[in-house]
Amino acid sequence: MKHELGAKIVGTGRAVPENTLTNEDLEKMVDTSDEWIRERTGMKVRHIAEPGVDTSDLATRAAENAMAAAGVTATEIDVIILATITADVQFPSTACYVQQKIGAVNAAAFDIAAACSGFIYGLQLANSMFLSGKYKNILVIGAEVLSRITDYTDRNTCVLFGDGAGAVLLQPTDGQSGIIDTYIKSDGRLSHLLIMPGGGTRNPATYETIDQRMNYIKMEGREVFKSAVTAMGDAATHILKENGLTGKDIQLLITHQANNRIIEATARRVKISKDKVYSNVEHYGNTSAASIPIALDEAIRDGRLKRGDKCMLVAFGGGFTWGSAIVQM
Ligand code: ACO
């Protein structure tokens, strides 16, 4: 194995809004069908945050559940890293709102934006921070309220996205379990294929940019699909090879939950059998940075991941960004 075991996951949590949006609901909103959505994506239901519920609210609930699972109190948290592309406001960072809401008065808190790969980027960052020896408890959260940047008049995108949050609490490894390795990559040349063009310095919010619907997700679905399949396959292959492992050594593959066809293609590339592939895309749609930590929490709480198991995480998203991690439970 290339790396020493790094930080260890000591608790996980998730939070998903109760309100749902089904394929049948979408049939009434745009020209689509339950059959088309299920065949192309595997999705049936997404969860949608109620008005007044912000990304930080979902992130806070997920973080509190992770802390409760670990038996760690808010004042013990040293760092909060929040991966999101749907921040409560442009600034300050949503992580600071989470800090305030959970009462983590001793923490440093900041956001990272790596779209659907954000959670893997956060894991890599947190893992590296532990190497400094300065930190004992780091929360890594992926949280999104994508429904607020989804254009419900655009059938190409509006069927895909949902809201939710997942969190992990990390501590220094005990040498038995921990993050074996992480891998992250980007290609900014393809940034235009998946973008929310409005609201930043390029196209600040004006009547014009709002009229042009620039404050919503724009996506070239077919191009994103092709890149996602290639990059996620590469990320999975790379990290296995770097660590002298094969698909057979992995007990559970959790990829970013974008689409069942992408998930299956990634598993095939590294020869991981279907029974070792986690999918909940049917129940949540694509929740971007939140999808992997939500799935991880479910898999741990449902007993799909047991102590000693190796779990591989793989993601791809806007940027483009992609990455992978192998965690020994
Ligand atoms: N309902 C019905 N028809 C639709 C819908 C819809 N919701 N959306 C598009 N169509 C139509 C298109 O207009 C097109 O019609 P045409 O042939 O008459 O032009 C036809 O369906 C086929 O469209 P494609 O885009 O080629 O369909 P594809 O098989 O590629 O599936 C999808 C589309 C599901 C978006 C796919 O490209 C995909 O999953 N891409 C990845 C997108 C993604 O996951 N992005 C999220 C961020 S990145 C990530 O998370 C990995």
Side-chain angles (χ1 to χ4, degrees):
M1 209 138 315
K2 189 172 165 247
H3 295 266
E4 297 293 314
L5 291 171
K8 172 189 176 191
I9 296 175
V10 293
T12 61
R14 67 179 188 272
V16 175
E18 273 180 29
N19 186 28
T20 58
L21 181 69
T22 65
N23 291 354
E24 290 72 22
D25 295 329
L26 285 158
E27 281 177 351
K28 295 180 196 128
M29 296 159 68
V30 288
D31 181 13
T32 191
S33 67
D34 172 51
E35 193 189 358
W36 192 97
I37 301 170
R38 274 193 289 111
E39 270 179 15
R40 305 283 173 133
T41 70
M43 295 170 191
K44 288 186 183 165
V45 183
R46 310 108 198 104
H47 292 253
I48 305 294
E50 294 77 13
V53 172
D54 292 334
T55 296
S56 65
D57 296 313
L58 297 179
T60 296
R61 278 171 45 208
E64 285 172 342
N65 290 336
M67 290 190 301
V72 168
T73 58
T75 53
E76 294 175 87
I77 303 294
D78 301 307
V79 183
I80 301 171
I81 301 174
L82 175 63
T84 189
I85 50 163
T86 48
D88 287 13
V89 292
Q90 279 275 356
F91 78 87
S93 68
T94 302
C96 288
Y97 290 126
V98 174
Q99 174 189 25
Q100 178 233 324
K101 286 175 184 175
I102 65 177
V105 290
N106 298 314
F110 58 93
D111 291 356
I112 51 171
C116 306
S117 313
F119 181 74
I120 303 268
Y121 272 61
L123 268 191
Q124 151 102 38
L125 192 55
N127 203 33
S128 311
M129 290 177 83
F130 278 108
L131 299 180
S132 72
K134 285 185 187 175
Y135 305 106
K136 290 200 173 66
N137 290 290
I138 301 184
L139 269 172
V140 181
I141 310 168
E144 305 282 10
V145 179
L146 293 168
S147 58
R148 307 259 163 86
I149 60 164
T150 297
D151 184 349
Y152 288 101
T153 66
D154 174 14
R155 71 173 184 175
N156 292 297
T157 53
C158 75
V159 301
L160 301 175
F161 300 106
D163 303 337
V168 298
L169 184 64
L170 299 174
Q171 287 180 352
T173 180
D174 53 9
Q176 302 287 313
S177 51
I179 297 170
I180 292 173
D181 199 7
T182 53
Y183 169 68
I184 53 173
K185 275 250 16 227
S186 316
D187 188 349
R189 292 171 300 182
L190 301 173
S191 53
H192 56 286
L193 297 173
L194 183 51
I195 184 170
M196 186 177 97
T201 54
R202 190 181 300 172
N203 304 298
T206 61
Y207 288 113
E208 206 179 19
T209 59
I210 301 288
D211 282 348
Q212 290 170 8
R213 309 186 82 73
M214 283 192 185
N215 55 323
Y216 293 122
I217 299 168
K218 310 282 177 199
M219 183 184 73
E220 299 291 333
R222 213 172 288 182
E223 291 307 313
V224 173
F225 185 90
K226 281 192 275 182
S227 295
V229 167
T230 306
M232 285 170 70
D234 288 352
T237 310
H238 176 91
I239 199 165
L240 286 171
K241 191 165 169 239
E242 283 287 295
N243 290 281
L245 301 170
T246 71
K248 287 202 177 71
D249 299 307
I250 300 299
Q251 278 70 47
L252 193 66
L253 172 67
I254 298 180
T255 75
H256 166 49
Q257 305 285 305
N259 176 317
N260 268 339
R261 291 183 296 155
I262 300 177
I263 297 172
E264 285 157 16
T266 307
R268 273 198 303 276
R269 191 66 195 276
V270 286
K271 298 190 174 61
I272 291 182
S273 56
K274 272 190 179 164
D275 57 311
K276 295 202 285 181
V277 179
Y278 198 85
S279 173
N280 61 15
V281 73
E282 179 182 342
H283 307 296
Y284 302 116
N286 181 345
T287 58
S288 190
S291 84
I292 289 179
I294 289 174
L296 193 56
D297 182 57
E298 284 184 344
I300 289 172
R301 287 178 192 264
D302 296 349
R304 289 254 341 237
L305 273 172
K306 297 178 193 67
R307 198 161 165 79
D309 282 355
K310 285 191 187 67
C311 175
M312 180 158 68
L313 312 176
V314 186
F316 175 86
F320 287 150
T321 57
W322 61 96
S324 51
I326 298 177
V327 183
Q328 179 146 332
M329 305 310 295

